[in-house]
Amino acid sequence: MRTECLLETRSLSKCYPPVQALAKVDFDLRAGEVHALVGENGAGKSTLAGIISGVVRPDGGSMRLRGQEYAPASKSRAERAGVQMVMQELNLISTLTVAENIFFHSMPNRAGVIDYRKMNAEAASLIAEMGLVGLKPDSPVGALGVGQQQMVEIVAGISRQCDVLILDEPTAALTETETELLFARVQNLKAAGVGVIYIS
Protein backbone atom coordinates (compact mmCIF):
# COMPACT_ATOMS: atom_id res chain seq x y z
CA MET A 1 0.00 0.00 0.00
CA ARG A 2 1.49 3.33 -1.08
CA THR A 3 1.58 6.17 1.42
CA GLU A 4 0.19 9.64 0.81
CA CYS A 5 2.21 11.81 -1.58
CA LEU A 6 3.09 14.95 0.36
CA LEU A 7 5.01 16.84 -2.28
CA GLU A 8 5.22 16.69 -6.06
CA THR A 9 7.34 18.76 -8.40
CA ARG A 10 6.82 18.68 -12.14
CA SER A 11 9.26 20.07 -14.73
CA LEU A 12 10.93 22.45 -12.28
CA SER A 13 13.58 24.55 -14.03
CA LYS A 14 16.00 27.24 -12.91
CA CYS A 15 18.73 29.02 -14.84
CA TYR A 16 21.51 31.21 -13.51
CA PRO A 17 22.91 32.32 -16.88
CA PRO A 18 24.87 30.78 -18.37
CA VAL A 19 24.33 27.79 -16.02
CA GLN A 20 21.16 25.69 -16.18
CA ALA A 21 20.89 24.68 -12.52
CA LEU A 22 17.70 22.60 -12.95
CA ALA A 23 16.11 21.25 -16.10
CA LYS A 24 12.54 19.90 -15.87
CA VAL A 25 12.92 18.09 -12.55
CA ASP A 26 10.17 15.70 -11.46
CA PHE A 27 10.28 14.73 -7.79
CA ASP A 28 7.89 13.02 -5.37
CA LEU A 29 8.08 12.83 -1.58
CA ARG A 30 5.73 10.62 0.39
CA ALA A 31 4.63 10.72 4.01
CA GLY A 32 7.10 8.90 6.25
CA GLU A 33 9.78 8.80 3.56
CA VAL A 34 13.40 9.92 3.89
CA HIS A 35 14.55 10.87 0.39
CA ALA A 36 18.26 11.52 -0.08
CA LEU A 37 19.57 13.92 -2.72
CA VAL A 38 23.23 13.13 -3.28
CA GLY A 39 25.59 14.75 -5.75
CA GLU A 40 28.57 16.99 -6.32
CA ASN A 41 28.58 20.73 -5.67
CA GLY A 42 26.73 22.50 -8.44
CA ALA A 43 24.48 19.54 -9.23
CA GLY A 44 21.36 21.56 -8.35
CA LYS A 45 20.47 19.91 -5.01
CA SER A 46 20.32 23.15 -3.02
CA THR A 47 18.55 24.95 -5.86
CA LEU A 48 15.77 22.34 -5.81
CA ALA A 49 15.57 22.57 -2.01
CA GLY A 50 15.51 26.36 -2.24
CA ILE A 51 12.55 26.30 -4.62
CA ILE A 52 10.62 23.86 -2.42
CA SER A 53 11.31 25.98 0.67
CA GLY A 54 10.38 29.30 -0.95
CA VAL A 55 13.91 30.74 -0.99
CA VAL A 56 14.35 30.49 -4.79
CA ARG A 57 11.78 31.28 -7.49
CA PRO A 58 11.70 28.74 -10.35
CA ASP A 59 11.76 29.77 -14.01
CA GLY A 60 9.26 27.06 -14.89
CA GLY A 61 7.36 24.05 -13.63
CA SER A 62 4.88 23.50 -10.82
CA MET A 63 4.54 21.98 -7.36
CA ARG A 64 1.75 20.42 -5.31
CA LEU A 65 1.72 20.02 -1.52
CA ARG A 66 -0.78 17.55 -0.03
CA GLY A 67 -2.57 17.57 -3.39
CA GLN A 68 -2.95 21.36 -3.56
CA GLU A 69 -1.13 23.81 -5.81
CA TYR A 70 1.96 25.06 -3.99
CA ALA A 71 4.06 28.08 -4.99
CA PRO A 72 5.50 29.78 -1.89
CA ALA A 73 6.60 33.38 -2.45
CA SER A 74 8.95 33.29 0.55
CA LYS A 75 10.52 31.00 3.13
CA SER A 76 8.08 32.20 5.77
CA ARG A 77 5.11 31.27 3.57
CA ALA A 78 6.58 27.82 2.97
CA GLU A 79 7.04 27.42 6.73
CA ARG A 80 3.41 28.36 7.37
CA ALA A 81 2.45 25.66 4.85
CA GLY A 82 4.44 23.09 6.86
CA VAL A 83 7.69 23.01 4.84
CA GLN A 84 10.74 23.58 7.05
CA MET A 85 14.31 23.85 5.80
CA VAL A 86 17.46 23.69 7.90
CA MET A 87 20.10 25.37 5.78
CA GLN A 88 23.81 24.66 5.73
CA GLU A 89 24.43 28.33 6.52
CA LEU A 90 23.35 29.13 10.06
CA ASN A 91 20.48 31.59 10.47
CA LEU A 92 20.88 32.09 14.21
CA ILE A 93 21.23 35.40 16.05
CA SER A 94 24.32 35.09 18.21
CA THR A 95 23.24 37.68 20.79
CA LEU A 96 20.00 35.81 21.57
CA THR A 97 19.65 32.73 23.75
CA VAL A 98 19.04 29.18 22.56
CA ALA A 99 15.34 29.45 23.47
CA GLU A 100 14.95 32.84 21.77
CA ASN A 101 16.42 31.45 18.56
CA ILE A 102 14.22 28.35 18.65
CA PHE A 103 11.05 30.41 19.09
CA PHE A 104 12.19 33.54 17.26
CA HIS A 105 9.03 33.73 15.13
CA SER A 106 6.59 32.63 17.83
CA MET A 107 7.80 33.66 21.29
CA PRO A 108 5.12 32.88 23.92
CA ASN A 109 3.82 36.05 25.50
CA ARG A 110 1.21 37.46 27.80
CA ALA A 111 -0.34 40.77 26.76
CA GLY A 112 2.64 41.44 24.52
CA VAL A 113 5.26 40.63 27.17
CA ILE A 114 7.49 37.63 26.41
CA ASP A 115 6.90 34.76 28.83
CA TYR A 116 10.52 33.67 29.33
CA ARG A 117 9.63 30.99 31.89
CA LYS A 118 7.28 29.26 29.46
CA MET A 119 9.63 29.74 26.51
CA ASN A 120 12.61 28.28 28.37
CA ALA A 121 10.52 25.34 29.61
CA GLU A 122 9.28 24.55 26.09
CA ALA A 123 12.80 24.89 24.68
CA ALA A 124 14.16 22.57 27.40
CA SER A 125 11.54 19.97 26.42
CA LEU A 126 12.52 20.15 22.74
CA ILE A 127 16.22 19.94 23.62
CA ALA A 128 15.53 16.86 25.77
CA GLU A 129 13.52 15.23 22.94
CA MET A 130 16.56 15.72 20.71
CA GLY A 131 18.72 14.00 23.33
CA LEU A 132 21.06 16.95 23.77
CA VAL A 133 22.87 16.97 27.10
CA GLY A 134 24.24 20.13 28.68
CA LEU A 135 22.57 22.55 26.27
CA LYS A 136 20.70 25.16 28.32
CA PRO A 137 17.80 27.20 26.93
CA ASP A 138 19.13 30.44 28.42
CA SER A 139 22.66 30.08 27.02
CA PRO A 140 23.70 32.72 24.44
CA VAL A 141 23.99 31.06 21.05
CA GLY A 142 27.20 32.98 20.36
CA ALA A 143 28.92 31.10 23.18
CA LEU A 144 28.22 27.69 21.59
CA GLY A 145 30.40 25.69 19.25
CA VAL A 146 29.46 25.41 15.59
CA GLY A 147 28.09 21.87 16.02
CA GLN A 148 25.86 22.91 18.91
CA GLN A 149 24.65 25.91 16.92
CA GLN A 150 23.73 23.59 14.06
CA MET A 151 21.76 21.43 16.49
CA VAL A 152 19.89 24.54 17.73
CA GLU A 153 19.06 25.34 14.09
CA ILE A 154 17.72 21.79 13.64
CA VAL A 155 15.66 21.95 16.84
CA ALA A 156 14.20 25.27 15.68
CA GLY A 157 13.27 23.77 12.31
CA ILE A 158 11.44 20.77 13.72
CA SER A 159 9.77 22.74 16.55
CA ARG A 160 7.36 24.33 14.07
CA GLN A 161 4.53 22.68 12.14
CA CYS A 162 6.43 20.26 9.94
CA ASP A 163 5.06 18.04 7.19
CA VAL A 164 8.15 18.30 4.98
CA LEU A 165 11.62 18.75 6.48
CA ILE A 166 14.60 19.63 4.28
CA LEU A 167 18.06 19.09 5.77
CA ASP A 168 20.82 20.69 3.68
CA GLU A 169 24.09 18.91 4.59
CA PRO A 170 23.18 19.01 8.29
CA THR A 171 26.02 16.82 9.56
CA ALA A 172 28.91 18.85 8.10
CA ALA A 173 29.65 20.52 11.46
CA LEU A 174 28.33 17.80 13.80
CA THR A 175 30.25 15.35 15.96
CA GLU A 176 29.57 11.63 15.61
CA THR A 177 27.37 11.71 18.72
CA GLU A 178 25.38 14.71 17.45
CA THR A 179 24.96 12.99 14.08
CA GLU A 180 23.55 9.89 15.79
CA LEU A 181 21.10 12.06 17.74
CA LEU A 182 19.99 13.73 14.52
CA PHE A 183 19.46 10.42 12.74
CA ALA A 184 17.44 9.10 15.69
CA ARG A 185 15.22 12.20 15.55
CA VAL A 186 14.79 11.78 11.79
CA GLN A 187 13.57 8.22 12.41
CA ASN A 188 11.01 9.58 14.90
CA LEU A 189 9.81 12.16 12.39
CA LYS A 190 9.58 9.47 9.72
CA ALA A 191 7.43 7.33 12.02
CA ALA A 192 5.17 10.34 12.59
CA GLY A 193 4.58 10.68 8.83
CA VAL A 194 6.89 13.60 8.12
CA GLY A 195 8.57 13.55 4.71
CA VAL A 196 12.29 14.27 4.95
CA ILE A 197 14.60 15.45 2.15
CA TYR A 198 18.22 14.87 3.12
CA ILE A 199 20.86 16.64 1.01
CA SER A 200 24.44 15.41 1.00
Side-chain angles (χ1 to χ4, degrees), residues 157-192:
I158 63 180
S159 70
R160 299 183 282 267
Q161 174 199 347
C162 186
D163 295 319
V164 175
L165 175 64
I166 304 171
L167 298 170
D168 189 0
E169 301 196 32
T171 61
L174 302 185
T175 64
E176 184 175 344
T177 298
E178 289 167 341
T179 298
E180 289 174 358
L181 291 173
L182 171 61
F183 287 166
R185 186 62 177 142
V186 166
Q187 287 300 316
N188 292 339
L189 292 170
K190 176 182 175 182

Side-chain angles (χ1 to χ4, degrees), residues 134-146:
L135 185 59
K136 297 181 179 180
D138 57 356
S139 296
V141 160
L144 304 178
V146 176

